[in-house]
Amino acid sequence: ESLMKPMSSIESAERSCSQCKKPRVKSLFKTKDLCIFCDMLNFGEKATWIVCPTCGKEVNKLREGNMCWDCVEDDIKRKEKEFFIDKKIENLFGSQEAIKWYTFDNWDPIVSLDRAYTKAFNFEPYSENLYLWGKVGRGKTHLAYAIAIKQLKAGLSIDILSPRELAGKFRRKNFEDEIFEMDKLRKVDVLILDDIGKGQETQFALGILAEVLNKRALNKKNGLVITSNLSLDELSNKFADDRLSSRLAGLCESIEMQSDDDYRIAGKI
């Protein structure tokens, strides 16, 4: 004899959807007499839809900042990314003041430097290399650092080194450490070498610089930005060797930064 009590017609009706009459599955919105499918269908028809002013999607409810949930989540991710990038920039430059100063927005328009500014602003790391040269105070470092900040915010990896700092990465290092450091310099998206030829670079430093250039050239890695007070010919004469300047000439677009005044002293750059 079966122990299960047969379902009465009343119980059967109570467990059926009042709309489609099919056996009722628990409603998503806890509506007592509808199955989940009819409940969702009715919700879609009866809900008041609002257009999210941020993304333009239709939603039934806006959240913080008058945004839909998707936009709220995107905003949180964007702010986290901006915070992370700001920290990377601060670690690279050492202070918030430098970050605010070395930007394209903070560049005063100077007709004679328009070409340099335009090339720097539109710099394409995957296809271009720049050699910015000119007298002291013409804004070479400003534009190089502005490139770094812009490309870092675009998600690219950056390294900024003087010749002394570059050589320091390889002094008193074992072979494995040298390979590790060279590999980082070969792979970094944007490599800025500031003030090449300013001091009395040693043969060791020049050798490291030449090897970095060769490694990047062999791997077809662009994104090189070099600043100097010297033209490529002057660089060749200073080092009594044209191999470095020849390599730079083959890799980089050389742009002279000319102006009548030292705008760094004038407080413009």
Side-chain angles (χ1 to χ4, degrees), residues 214-233:
N214 287 335
K215 291 289 186 182
R216 290 181 72 90
L218 287 172
N219 286 272
K220 298 181 179 180
K221 188 71 174 179
N222 296 305
L224 184 66
V225 180
I226 294 179
T227 71
S228 178
N229 296 339
L230 306 175
S231 69
L232 292 175
D233 287 339

Side-chain angles (χ1 to χ4, degrees), residues 157-267:
S157 57
I158 309 290
D159 206 349
I160 301 175
L161 298 166
S162 67
R164 181 181 60 81
E165 290 169 331
L166 177 63
K169 285 181 171 287
F170 296 89
R171 290 192 187 280
R172 294 184 289 277
K173 296 289 181 67
N174 61 41
F175 183 67
E176 289 77 13
D177 288 341
E178 286 184 0
I179 292 176
F180 176 74
E181 291 294 345
M182 186 60 69
D183 201 46
K184 286 200 301 182
L185 294 170
R186 175 180 65 83
K187 291 179 179 179
V188 67
D189 294 322
V190 177
L191 176 60
I192 295 175
L193 301 175
D194 195 26
D195 274 339
I196 296 294
K198 180 181 179 180
Q200 296 298 321
E201 282 85 354
T202 64
Q203 287 301 312
F204 175 78
L206 293 175
I208 294 298
L209 175 57
E211 188 172 353
V212 170
L213 297 178
N214 287 335
K215 291 289 186 182
R216 290 181 72 90
L218 287 172
N219 286 272
K220 298 181 179 180
K221 188 71 174 179
N222 296 305
L224 184 66
V225 180
I226 294 179
T227 71
S228 178
N229 296 339
L230 306 175
S231 69
L232 292 175
D233 287 339
E234 291 169 336
L235 199 67
S236 177
N237 292 333
K238 176 171 182 175
F239 298 138
D241 190 336
D242 64 357
R243 286 177 294 180
L244 179 61
S245 58
S246 177
R247 170 59 78 186
L248 289 172
L251 288 174
C252 304
E253 180 178 356
S254 178
I255 299 177
E256 182 180 7
M257 297 182 66
Q258 294 180 322
S259 66
D260 296 331
D261 302 300
D262 185 331
Y263 284 85
R264 184 167 59 186
I265 293 176

Side-chain angles (χ1 to χ4, degrees), residues 78-92 96 99 148-156:
R78 178 184 59 79
K79 289 177 179 177
E80 288 176 347
K81 182 179 179 181
E82 287 177 353
F83 176 80
F84 177 69
I85 288 174
D86 285 345
K87 282 298 179 184
K88 288 182 71 174
I89 294 174
E90 188 172 350
N91 290 337
L92 191 63
Q96 284 290 333
I99 297 170
I149 291 173
K150 181 178 179 180
Q151 299 303 330
L152 196 58
K153 288 184 176 180
L156 276 63

Side-chain angles (χ1 to χ4, degrees), residues 2-3 11-12 19 23 49 52 57 66 88 93 119 132 136 154 158 174 192 194 198 221 260 266:
S2 174
L3 297 177
E11 289 175 322
S12 178
Q19 186 168 311
W49 297 101
C52 173
K57 293 179 186 176
N66 205 30
K88 288 182 71 174
F93 289 93
K119 290 299 296 187
L132 303 175
V136 172
I158 309 290
N174 61 41
I192 295 175
D194 195 26
K198 180 181 179 180
K221 188 71 174 179
D260 296 331

Side-chain angles (χ1 to χ4, degrees), residues 97-110 117 142-143 146 267-269:
E97 288 71 22
I99 297 170
K100 295 173 183 177
W101 183 252
Y102 291 115
T103 65
F104 288 113
D105 289 339
N106 201 37
W107 175 270
D108 283 331
I110 304 165
Y117 171 86
H142 188 124
L143 290 183
K268 292 186 176 182
I269 295 176

